[in-house]
Amino acid sequence: MLAVEFPAVAVWSVDPGDLRTAMHQAAFPGEDISDRPEPATVVPAFLDLIGSERPSGRYRAGELAAELTAELTGTGAVS
């Protein structure tokens, strides 16, 4: 609603994905979550989003990070 009422303001909902955090571990006690990425791995994607002109919408940090990596390495678009 906010994005519709204020179209000049970008409103994003970002899913950081499963990360290796204490909260995630508490949600799955006894489970090995060492295969999950560290929270710091999605920070570049968040910073890129903040500095972008992307339209309002829902985004997944993992997808944003993959796009950013593709741009930085010159490997082209990520599908």
Side-chain angles (χ1 to χ4, degrees):
M1 288 302 304
L2 184 62
V4 172
E5 292 179 9
F6 297 95
V9 176
V11 179
W12 305 304
S13 171
V14 183
D15 176 357
D18 288 344
L19 300 173
R20 193 177 334 157
T21 64
M23 184 188 306
H24 191 108
Q25 187 64 71
F28 300 95
E31 184 177 318
D32 179 15
I33 64 165
S34 64
D35 62 328
R36 298 340 185 262
E38 293 283 342
T41 62
V42 295
V43 171
F46 279 97
L47 294 176
D48 186 64
L49 178 62
I50 291 167
S52 76
E53 294 185 13
R54 287 183 185 262
S56 294
R58 292 181 174 181
Y59 296 93
R60 290 188 172 131
E63 292 171 5
L64 293 173
E67 289 176 17
L68 180 58
T69 299
E71 289 175 18
L72 294 175
T73 60
T75 58
V78 175
S79 55

